[in-house]
């Protein structure tokens, strides 16, 4: 854990979903390969499936931006169909497949909740996906709100977090996430940022600007205990 400054105890913690709470690749990669098999079968895509790393390194972005990066040569129809298929296949995987949270995520969230911390999710994902992951892992009762770009049609996580803070009248929060969009969302809204370095997605400087960087989710408990 890298500590940059003394932290203040927050009213709330706002969590990214993919790469922070949820080991996205355990659900995403099987769906990803099925998606491209279907696109080829439907005549909407030709050639091999783009490298998995291209998809994984795009996590945290809005879905429309992800497809521009993953298959820049594809048609608008292919990208629109990919939106539909990804959600369909991931919901199917949540119901019947194998997928995991990061170690001790549920236990840590329960401990924070028991200490009176208000917990939220703010994700650039689709509403049904975000709610589906939370429900599948029995996290819903721990969260005061599950916010997604898909539900609120926000153009960035900055705006999503701004909406969340205003709606729940929160003045002090920790934004907890693994991508630059999480750092930006926290800082642009005047909040503390806890960067999560354990997922391994993104660039080397992905978490630049974080107040603290953690390498294990359970470190949040120590940070909260030691905060003033």
């Amino acid at each position: 854990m890298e500590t940059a400054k003394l932290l203040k105890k927050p009213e709330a913690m706002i969590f990214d979903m993919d790469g922070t709470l949820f080991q996205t690749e355990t659900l995403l990669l099987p769906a990803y390969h099925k998606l491209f098999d279907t696109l080829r079968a439907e005549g909407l895509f030709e050639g091999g499936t783009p490298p998995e790393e291209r998809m994984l390194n795009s996590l945290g972005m809005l879905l429309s931006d992800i497809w521009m990066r993953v298959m820049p040569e594809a048609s608008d129809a292919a990208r629109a169909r990919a939106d539909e298929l990804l959600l369909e296949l991931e919901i199917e995987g949540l119901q019947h497949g194998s997928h995991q949270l990061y170690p001790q995520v549920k236990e840590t969230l329960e401990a924070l909740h028991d200490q009176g911390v208000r917990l939220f999710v703010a994700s650039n994902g689709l509403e049904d996906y975000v709610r589906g992951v939370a429900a599948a892992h029995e996290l819903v009762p721990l969260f005061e709100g599950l916010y997604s770009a898909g539900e609120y049609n926000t153009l960035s996580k900055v705006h999503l977090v701004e909406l969340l803070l205003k709606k729940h009248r929160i003045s002090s929060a920790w934004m907890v996430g693994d991508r630059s969009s999480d750092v930006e969302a926290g800082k642009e809204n005047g909040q503390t940022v806890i960067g999560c370095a354990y997922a391994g997605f993104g660039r080397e400087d992905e978490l630049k600007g974080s107040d603290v960087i953690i390498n294990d989710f359970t470190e949040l408990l120590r940070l909260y205990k030691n905060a003033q």
Side-chain angles (χ1 to χ4, degrees):
M1 179 168 61
E2 301 175 14
T3 305
K5 66 178 185 180
L6 188 65
L7 301 179
K8 294 182 179 180
K9 271 192 168 60
E11 300 171 49
M13 292 190 194
I14 305 170
F15 297 91
D16 174 47
M17 179 65 83
D18 293 325
T20 300
L21 303 179
F22 185 54
Q23 292 192 50
T24 316
E25 68 275 21
T26 63
L27 174 68
L28 174 62
L29 293 182
Y32 181 72
H33 288 283
K34 289 180 183 178
L35 182 152
F36 278 96
D37 288 344
T38 303
L39 289 180
R40 280 189 289 266
E42 294 178 354
L44 291 170
F45 190 83
E46 296 181 356
T49 299
E52 293 176 350
E53 291 73 21
R54 199 181 294 178
M55 185 68 177
L56 293 175
N57 290 337
S58 300
L59 292 176
M61 299 169 63
L62 295 171
L63 205 53
S64 56
D65 296 329
I66 289 177
W67 296 130
M68 287 295 292
R69 176 182 286 192
V70 170
M71 46 178 180
E73 72 288 353
S75 66
D76 290 342
R79 295 193 192 107
R81 179 64 172 139
D83 278 353
E84 297 173 354
L85 284 170
L86 185 62
L87 179 59
E88 177 184 313
L89 291 167
E90 287 186 325
I91 295 301
E92 180 183 302
L94 284 170
Q95 294 170 346
H96 306 293
S98 176
H99 43 84
Q100 301 174 51
L101 299 172
Y102 285 99
Q104 297 298 303
V105 159
K106 186 175 183 182
E107 293 83 352
T108 301
L109 292 174
E110 288 172 339
L112 291 168
H113 183 268
D114 289 345
Q115 292 178 64
V117 184
R118 300 169 68 187
L119 306 180
F120 297 86
V121 166
S123 168
N124 274 337
L126 296 172
E127 178 184 3
D128 288 348
Y129 168 75
V130 173
R131 293 186 179 280
V133 171
H137 291 278
E138 301 178 339
L139 300 179
V140 175
L142 300 174
F143 290 109
E144 192 171 328
L146 298 169
Y147 282 70
S148 63
E151 179 177 3
Y152 290 94
N153 295 313
T154 46
L155 297 176
S156 73
K157 189 167 284 190
V158 172
H159 295 123
L160 187 65
V161 170
E162 179 183 15
L163 186 155
L164 186 162
L165 293 170
K166 286 181 178 178
K167 184 173 180 179
H168 295 273
R169 299 180 181 179
I170 296 167
S171 59
S172 170
W174 289 1
M175 180 70 220
V176 184
D178 71 310
R179 303 309 298 264
S180 59
S181 57
D182 300 308
V183 179
E184 181 186 28
K187 289 302 175 182
E188 288 294 317
N189 284 291
Q191 305 302 325
T192 296
V193 175
I194 310 299
C196 301
Y198 44 79
F201 305 139
R203 306 180 308 272
E204 186 175 336
D205 63 346
E206 192 77 42
L207 297 173
K208 184 178 180 181
S210 300
D211 294 285
V212 177
I213 295 177
I214 60 175
N215 295 293
D216 184 290
F217 193 76
T218 60
E219 292 173 23
L220 276 174
L221 290 173
R222 194 181 338 150
L223 284 177
Y224 183 74
K225 178 181 178 182
N226 294 332
Q228 299 301 303

